[in-house]
């Protein structure tokens, strides 16, 4: 008894397992039986989910297959019955497409594939399946889309990896080239018309288009988008706040979504159809935004914003590194007391001037200044007083010279200005103004007036017989003339014409 019970239980468990396996198959597996006289038919077996698909209970079909044939579209039913009869006679594969009424009430195309087998009593049994053609098409399309998406993700990851490597290996001074390459690579990858980077002023009232890439035939906008005021751009100011405060990505699917105003007018004039703008953070603050624009209506990816945020992160890291390197470089070439350039910066610039003088005949002039009786100032007012005089004199130098002039602290109380593109007479006038400005300036440190004057020596490259290989001969000549000015009583200049008192 126990053996029979175990065998019965095994069969029950096996049947249950088979039903579960069959139910897991998307097609409706079936065993269809047709009597020898063709008057009776039923499904000996059919997958359980025939009820969820067609709304027909499996037990009904096991009693009579008429419910299945009743679900066939009236236009397809005659041909289906003929194909069953032919298969029963020839015992050839039963293959037919027909529309079946779904549980929801609409019709879908199904394909029947079954192999017949004659039974001893003359009846016929077909073993096969019904599968939903549309479902298979949808599944194939989904698989293709997944393959396409997988390829896209792989290509995007490769792109980001390549750009990351470039930024990691970024050399000092190469930031412009790398950002330009990033914009080009992203523009081509996403098939946009423009990719760009705008920098914000600290108060967000001005934005400056610093980098831009355009696809072929698309006009560049960078020259017309420099230092653009954002005051009066109400809609755009709101979007800037969203980027700054909420780290929001700005997506404009159609320009018509923007309220009528200067922003919409400008974008329409630029031909923009849709765009993304992504904030870029440096040291936790939004300092700029990265954007892409399309000049035609297009479908964007649902995850487009997420992908552009990844790009923005690359830019953020590169700009942060560039900022740190710039600070370190600036510290290395700036005098920490006066904020003027130091000798480390001055000497390469003088070498460049020498090179231009040698190749193109571009003359330049050097003026060396020294604060008179500076040791006495330090002794009388302390080193803080001396530092005050050095900083104030540095400010006077910057006020009296041009941005193109190289102004540097040479060491101690000595300063050098390199003038290019001006005559020796103009240099003499500028140096004279500096000496007068120092003499007339009211140097007051801790309520005490500090009497201060300055002496200067001027030397022009044209005074040397040959262009030297280094700036040393010119510096030596300017220094000698500075010494002569000191010997002549200070508070004066000496150039090729001799001592000049102002």
């Amino acid at each position: 008894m126990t053996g029979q019970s175990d065998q019965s239980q095994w069969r029950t468990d096996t049947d249950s397992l088979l039903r579960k396996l069959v139910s897991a198959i998307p097609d409706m597996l079936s065993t269809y039986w047709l009597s020898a006289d063709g008057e009776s038919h039923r499904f000996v077996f059919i997958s359980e989910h025939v009820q969820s698909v067609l709304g027909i209970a499996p037990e009904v079909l096991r009693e009579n297959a008429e419910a299945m044939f009743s679900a066939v579209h009236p236009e397809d039913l005659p041909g289906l019955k003929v194909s069953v009869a032919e298969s029963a006679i020839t015992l050839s594969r039963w293959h037919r497409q027909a529309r079946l009424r779904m549980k929801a009430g609409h019709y879908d195309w199904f394909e029947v594939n079954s192999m017949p087998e004659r039974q001893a009593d003359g009846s016929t049994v077909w073993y096969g399946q019904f599968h939903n053609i549309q479902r298979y098409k949808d599944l194939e399309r989904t698989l293709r889309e997944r393959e396409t998406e997988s390829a896209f993700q792989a290509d995007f990851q490769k792109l980001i990896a390549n750009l990351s490597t470039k930024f990691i290996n970024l050399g000092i001074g190469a930031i412009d080239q790398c950002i330009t390459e990033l914009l080009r690579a992203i523009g081509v990858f996403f098939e946009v018309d423009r990719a760009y980077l705008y920098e914000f002023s600290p108060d967000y009232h001005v934005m400056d288009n610093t980098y831009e890439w355009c696809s072929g035939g698309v006009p560049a906008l960078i020259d017309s988008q420099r230092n653009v005021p954002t005051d009066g751009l109400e809609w755009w100011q709101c979007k800037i706040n969203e980027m700054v405060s909420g780290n929001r990505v700005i997506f404009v699917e159609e320009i018509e979504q923007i309220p009528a105003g200067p922003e919409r007018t400008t974008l329409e004039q630029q031909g923009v159809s849709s765009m993304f703008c992504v904030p870029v953070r440096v040291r936790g603050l939004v300092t700029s935004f990265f954007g892409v624009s399309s000049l035609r209506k297009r479908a964007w990816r649902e995850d487009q914003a997420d992908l552009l945020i990844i790009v923005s992160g690359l830019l953020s890291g590169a700009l942060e590194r560039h900022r740190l390197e710039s600070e370190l470089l600036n510290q290395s070439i700036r005098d920490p007391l006066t904020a003027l350039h130091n000798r480390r910066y001055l000497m390469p610039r003088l070498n460049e001037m020498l090179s231009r003088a040698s190749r193109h005949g571009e003359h330049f002039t050097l003026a060396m200044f020294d604060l008179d009786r500076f040791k006495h100032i330090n002794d009388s007012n302390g080193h803080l007083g001396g530092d005050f005089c050095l900083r104030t004199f540095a400010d006077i130098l910057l006020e009296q010279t041009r941005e193109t002039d190289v102004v540097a602290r040479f060491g101690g109380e000595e300063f050098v200005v390199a003038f290019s593109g001006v005559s020796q007479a103009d240099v003499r006038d500028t140096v004279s103004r500096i000496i007068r400005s120092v003499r007339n300036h009211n140097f007051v440190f801790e309520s005490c007036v500090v009497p201060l004057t300055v002496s200067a020596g001027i030397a022009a490259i044209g005074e040397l017989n040959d262009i030297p290989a280094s700036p040393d001969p010119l510096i030596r000549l300017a220094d000698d003339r500075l010494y002569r000015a000191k010997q002549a009583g200070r508070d004066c200049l000496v150039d090729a014409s001799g001592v000049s008192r102002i």
Side-chain angles (χ1 to χ4, degrees):
M1 294 294 293
T2 304
Q4 292 179 353
S5 175
D6 289 346
Q7 187 177 19
S8 176
Q9 181 64 42
W10 177 84
R11 286 176 178 170
T12 302
D13 291 345
T14 301
D15 290 344
S16 176
L17 176 60
L18 287 173
R19 283 196 298 271
K20 289 181 179 178
L21 289 174
V22 170
S23 297
I25 298 172
D27 294 335
M28 291 185 292
L29 301 185
S30 65
T31 304
Y32 171 64
W33 174 85
L34 178 66
S35 64
D37 59 7
E39 296 296 325
S40 301
H41 63 156
R42 62 188 176 87
F43 283 91
V44 178
F45 171 82
I46 192 163
S47 303
E48 294 289 331
H49 55 271
V50 67
Q51 184 158 8
S52 62
V53 176
L54 301 179
I56 305 173
E59 55 269 22
V60 171
L61 295 173
R62 292 184 192 118
E63 293 294 329
N64 192 314
E66 195 59 35
M68 177 67 79
F69 283 80
S70 297
V72 178
H73 194 283
E75 295 178 1
D76 303 330
L77 184 57
L80 182 68
K81 287 184 176 181
V82 170
S83 69
V84 173
E86 290 177 349
S87 180
I89 294 171
T90 63
L91 295 181
S92 60
R93 182 169 66 96
W94 179 23
H95 176 247
R96 188 74 181 180
Q97 291 185 0
R99 286 165 288 182
L100 293 178
R101 185 175 57 250
M102 305 295 286
K103 185 178 181 179
H106 66 280
Y107 285 91
D108 264 2
W109 281 99
F110 280 76
E111 186 174 61
V112 183
N113 275 294
S114 297
M115 288 302 297
E117 182 180 284
R118 186 83 70 214
Q119 305 299 301
D121 61 358
S123 64
T124 307
V125 174
W126 284 266
Y127 303 92
Q129 62 185 8
F130 293 71
H131 74 254
N132 188 322
I133 296 175
Q134 186 59 47
R135 185 181 182 281
Y136 268 77
K137 289 181 178 178
D138 292 343
L139 180 59
E140 288 176 359
R141 184 172 63 253
T142 300
L143 291 174
R144 286 196 301 269
E145 289 175 351
R146 287 179 179 176
E147 290 176 357
T148 302
E149 179 64 17
S150 177
F152 174 88
Q153 293 290 349
D155 289 344
F156 182 73
Q157 291 174 8
K158 182 179 179 180
L159 173 66
I160 294 301
N162 289 339
L163 292 173
S164 298
T165 300
K166 289 183 179 180
F167 280 130
I168 289 172
N169 297 323
L170 179 66
I172 295 177
I175 185 70
D176 293 344
Q177 179 182 349
C178 278
I179 291 180
T180 300
E181 169 59 21
L182 179 143
L183 294 181
R184 185 202 66 79
I186 294 301
V188 171
F189 186 82
F190 287 114
E191 298 180 340
V192 297
D193 296 300
R194 291 192 185 99
Y196 40 82
L197 182 69
Y198 279 76
E199 291 185 8
F200 287 123
S201 62
D203 59 4
Y204 300 104
H205 290 305
V206 176
M207 62 182 190
D208 187 16
N209 188 186
T210 50
Y211 300 91
E212 181 187 56
W213 170 86
C214 298
S215 63
V218 175
L221 300 175
I222 189 168
D223 291 337
S224 63
Q225 293 291 295
R226 305 309 303 266
N227 298 315
V228 179
T230 59
D231 294 333
L233 305 178
E234 185 176 348
W235 177 84
W236 181 236
Q237 278 286 0
C238 178
K239 296 305 175 184
I240 291 175
N241 291 335
E242 290 180 11
M243 285 194 285
V244 173
S245 303
N247 205 34
R248 290 273 305 277
V249 174
I250 307 304
F251 173 42
V252 179
E253 188 172 10
E254 295 181 352
I255 293 302
E256 291 75 16
Q257 297 173 345
I258 300 177
E263 301 97 323
R264 178 170 165 179
T265 300
T266 299
L267 291 171
E268 288 175 342
Q269 291 173 348
Q270 295 172 355
V272 176
S273 177
S274 57
M275 66 180 187
F276 276 88
C277 296
V278 188
V280 177
R281 291 182 174 270
V282 177
R283 300 184 72 179
L285 297 175
V286 174
T287 60
S288 52
F289 72 88
F290 156 69
V292 295
S293 297
S294 175
L295 304 189
R296 64 196 185 283
K297 292 187 181 297
R298 57 169 291 170
W300 295 92
R301 293 174 56 88
E302 292 184 1
D303 62 348
Q304 187 74 47
D306 296 331
L307 298 176
L308 293 178
I309 286 173
I310 294 174
V311 178
S312 172
L314 270 183
L315 281 169
S316 177
L319 292 173
E320 171 66 9
R321 176 182 167 186
H322 175 64
R323 182 193 64 80
L324 291 172
E325 289 177 346
S326 297
E327 285 185 2
L328 291 174
L329 179 62
N330 197 47
Q331 290 173 7
S332 71
I333 62 174
R334 291 279 182 181
D335 170 47
L337 176 64
T338 63
L340 296 180
H341 286 116
N342 57 21
R343 188 182 295 196
R344 179 178 293 175
Y345 177 86
L346 172 67
M347 299 309 288
R349 301 292 79 76
L350 292 180
N351 280 314
E352 292 172 5
M353 291 180 176
L354 281 175
S355 178
R356 290 198 297 272
S358 177
R359 294 180 180 181
H360 309 294
E362 297 181 11
H363 287 199
F364 66 97
T365 303
L366 212 62
M368 182 171 285
F369 299 87
D370 185 274
L371 300 188
D372 297 329
R373 298 185 176 86
F374 188 70
K375 183 178 182 304
H376 176 73
I377 293 173
N378 274 336
D379 292 342
S380 303
N381 300 276
H383 286 285
L384 292 179
D387 290 347
F388 164 76
C389 291
L390 291 170
R391 286 194 298 268
T392 306
F393 176 66
D395 293 339
I396 292 173
L397 280 180
L398 292 176
E399 289 173 2
Q400 297 295 333
T401 55
R402 306 167 302 169
E403 290 185 0
T404 55
D405 299 328
V406 181
V407 182
R409 184 181 179 189
F410 198 68
E413 64 271 25
E414 288 186 332
F415 297 78
V416 168
V417 180
F419 300 90
S420 60
V422 293
S423 66
Q424 289 180 245
D426 289 336
V427 171
R428 181 187 178 91
D429 291 342
T430 300
V431 172
S432 298
R433 286 199 308 272
I434 292 171
I435 291 174
R436 282 196 299 270
S437 296
V438 173
R439 182 191 305 141
N440 298 330
H441 189 83
N442 191 21
F443 291 85
V444 179
F445 176 73
E446 293 183 350
S447 302
C448 295
V449 176
V450 181
L452 183 65
T453 58
V454 66
S455 301
I458 302 174
I461 190 65
E463 297 179 54
L464 303 179
N465 294 328
D466 297 306
I467 303 297
S470 77
D472 292 347
L474 190 63
I475 293 174
R476 192 177 301 114
L477 178 58
D479 192 37
D480 289 344
R481 289 174 175 174
L482 172 61
Y483 180 75
R484 287 174 55 193
K486 293 283 190 181
Q487 293 296 99
R490 302 179 178 85
D491 191 24
C492 63
L493 68 85
V494 174
D495 59 8
S497 60
V499 178
S500 178
R501 295 198 172 278
I502 296 89

